[in-house]
Amino acid sequence: MHFNFKIILNNEKIREYLFFIGIIFLVFLPKGGFKVAGIPITWGYLYLGILFLLSVLVILNKRKFLVSPKHFLCYVATLPFVLYFTINLLLRGYDGSFGNLVAFYVSFGFLPLLFYIFLSPFLKKIDLLFIETLLSNAVFWVSLYGIILFVFKQVTGHYIEIPYLTVNAADLGTLEGKYNMRGALYKLISTYNNGNIFGVCMLLLFPVFHKRNLSKIKLGIVIVALLLTLSRTVWLGLLFYFILIYKDRIFKLVKIYAFFGLILFVLATFLMNRYFQYGSLSGFILDSNLGGRINQIRQFTGLSFFGTQTFDFIEEIVYLSIFKQLGLVGLLLFCVSFFFQIYIAINTKNNSYYYILGSMTYLFICLSDGCMLYIPTLAFFYFVNTMIFIPKNGT
């Protein structure tokens, strides 16, 4: 018996393998890694750093570097906010931790440069069907694992934790303390170690999954996983997405809302009314404390051009947090940085509609909880923004 193994390593295949590895580290195992001086070092972000270095080496070797005008303009739009923050930091000081400061510059400085400038030509040369099929499958499997882990946790009282892979080695045994409890219930967290982060990241990719997935069973599983995050932010984000795509199809919206209502009714009947800290589903939805966010709103003291607080961290309500700490000027520059890709997409042709939906959904949920400086949220955001301007025909 003879075996003939033949691996074809052309440029396109190499790019596909590199993208597949990125999906493993960033979508399946986003929290895997370790900590140095309290700063999380994940395999996914290390891998992005390696891709950055590879891109630089390729550019130096070929002495040729082409970036589309759309990607370049989107990157330039991010610079004023980072510059303003740096000036604010030098003049007014900083009240946060060193880890959060590093997270800010990685999130707002490095990631836009990496995706808009260095990875956009790389992604453009990968077959779009390959990318979207891989993303669709990843969203499904990580959601299915999340449901399995959710059930396992409720039944046994323990999480399945694999250090360096499904959980940061330094966070082993601490998942209960990552704001994952709703009374005696635990949020669905999958491999993201936090229900809100999982939900926000999946919402960014959900439009692509919804586009490529043909199975109603898989769609139902992913939706159930998002609902089991027990996050009002995620629920609102999901409803916002369906309003965007079915705004002219009222009957379809009614069916979707009825489906959501049925699932929530079942959850309330068998789980929430007995174990939930709010006592009932209605008590949760109508919580006057807004999950602790009411304090952020109460701290609002009026209009300020440059902020009334020394910067320390971006809180759940992103826009309000930016305004309080960096003022009207900071909020304006932040909005330019984060909304410019939508402006470009609206005013140009040949863009990828479903990625626009992912970006818009994230910008909407930032009104409640953007998980902005938490890994891997902004890596997903800038990936989606980059893909907006990589249409199917690759032009």
Side-chain angles (χ1 to χ4, degrees):
M1 184 178 294
H2 298 282
F3 294 93
N4 182 22
F5 294 98
K6 185 177 182 181
I7 299 177
I8 301 175
L9 290 178
N10 56 37
N11 287 340
E12 184 178 352
K13 279 296 179 185
I14 291 174
R15 293 188 188 96
E16 289 180 356
Y17 293 146
L18 290 173
F19 184 78
F20 175 76
I21 294 171
I23 292 296
I24 294 294
F25 286 144
L26 286 163
V27 181
F28 283 102
L29 304 171
K31 295 294 185 178
F34 53 94
K35 287 186 178 181
V36 176
I39 301 173
I41 309 296
T42 66
W43 306 125
Y45 275 47
L46 279 176
Y47 185 67
L48 290 178
I50 292 172
L51 289 182
F52 174 77
L53 294 176
L54 285 176
S55 300
V56 172
L57 291 175
V58 169
I59 293 167
L60 292 175
N61 181 55
K62 291 187 175 182
R63 298 180 182 179
K64 184 179 180 181
F65 188 49
L66 298 176
V67 178
S68 75
K70 295 177 184 178
H71 287 126
F72 181 74
L73 289 174
C74 286
Y75 171 66
V76 170
T78 68
L79 298 179
F81 176 67
V82 177
L83 179 61
Y84 174 79
F85 172 81
T86 303
I87 294 172
N88 183 279
L89 192 73
L90 294 173
L91 295 178
R92 301 178 60 187
Y94 174 68
D95 276 349
S97 68
F98 178 69
N100 287 338
L101 185 61
V102 171
F104 181 94
Y105 279 104
V106 169
S107 299
F108 293 95
F110 172 69
L111 290 178
L113 174 66
L114 175 68
F115 280 99
Y116 285 141
I117 303 299
F118 287 95
L119 291 188
S120 57
F122 168 82
L123 292 168
K124 186 176 181 179
K125 294 179 181 178
I126 303 176
D127 178 56
L128 188 62
L129 179 61
F130 173 83
I131 289 177
E132 294 185 349
T133 301
L134 199 56
L135 286 174
S136 177
N137 289 332
V139 169
F140 168 72
W141 287 110
V142 80
S143 298
L144 180 61
Y145 174 76
I147 293 175
I148 294 171
L149 184 63
F150 175 85
V151 174
F152 183 85
K153 175 61 177 176
Q154 313 306 324
V155 173
T156 68
H158 301 285
Y159 283 115
I160 301 171
E161 298 179 81
I162 306 175
Y164 298 102
L165 292 179
T166 65
V167 63
N168 190 290
D171 291 336
L172 193 64
T174 67
L175 296 185
E176 283 85 354
K178 292 184 177 292
Y179 305 102
N180 287 322
M181 294 188 67
R182 294 290 195 194
L185 276 178
Y186 293 87
K187 297 179 180 180
L188 183 145
I189 64 172
S190 192
T191 54
Y192 289 67
N193 297 182
N194 176 273
N196 282 33
I197 297 175
F198 167 78
V200 167
C201 289
M202 289 303 102
L203 284 176
L204 277 161
L205 300 180
F206 186 79
V208 178
F209 166 78
H210 194 213
K211 172 188 177 183
R212 287 296 175 190
N213 171 67
L214 299 177
S215 168
K216 291 184 178 179
I217 294 176
K218 288 184 177 181
L219 176 62
I221 287 173
V222 173
I223 290 176
V224 168
L226 290 171
L227 294 179
L228 288 177
T229 60
L230 305 180
S231 166
R232 286 160 294 207
T233 297
V234 175
W235 296 358
L236 285 172
L238 194 58
L239 290 176
F240 177 78
Y241 165 74
F242 281 115
I243 289 173
L244 285 179
I245 62 171
Y246 295 130
K247 58 183 181 295
D248 298 323
R249 299 168 62 183
I250 301 300
F251 182 68
K252 187 73 173 181
L253 273 177
V254 170
K255 289 201 302 182
I256 290 170
Y257 292 161
F259 176 67
F260 287 166
L262 177 63
I263 294 175
L264 291 176
F265 175 77
V266 172
L267 285 174
T269 301
F270 292 100
L271 293 174
M272 291 183 178
N273 289 342
R274 182 173 180 181
Y275 301 107
F276 219 31
Q277 70 192 75
Y278 296 90
S280 67
L281 176 62
S282 60
F284 173 56
I285 294 176
L286 302 175
D287 173 30
S288 60
N289 195 40
L290 301 178
R293 293 171 180 80
I294 194 66
N295 291 329
Q296 297 176 40
I297 297 174
R298 286 172 178 166
Q299 290 172 5
F300 178 76
T301 57
L303 293 177
S304 169
F305 280 101
F306 304 106
T308 58
Q309 301 176 12
T310 303
F311 190 91
D312 63 349
F313 189 68
I314 298 178
E315 298 173 316
E316 289 99 329
I317 306 176
V318 172
Y319 307 112
L320 181 60
S321 180
I322 294 290
F323 175 76
K324 288 190 300 183
Q325 298 177 99
L326 298 175
L328 192 60
V329 174
L331 179 60
L332 176 62
L333 295 178
F334 173 83
C335 288
V336 170
S337 173
F338 269 66
F339 283 83
F340 195 71
Q341 73 282 353
I342 303 298
Y343 172 78
I344 292 291
I346 291 173
N347 288 279
T348 58
K349 298 179 180 179
N350 203 24
N351 302 310
S352 295
Y353 174 67
Y354 282 87
Y355 293 101
I356 298 173
L357 293 177
S359 184
M360 291 178 65
T361 301
Y362 179 71
L363 294 171
F364 170 76
I365 61 178
C366 282
L367 289 166
S368 176
D369 187 355
C371 298
M372 187 151 282
L373 293 184
Y374 293 107
I375 295 173
T377 304
L378 287 191
F380 281 40
F381 178 68
Y382 286 115
F383 165 77
V384 166
N385 289 345
T386 301
M387 293 301 298
I388 288 174
F389 306 113
I390 301 180
K392 187 173 182 179
N393 60 8
T395 59

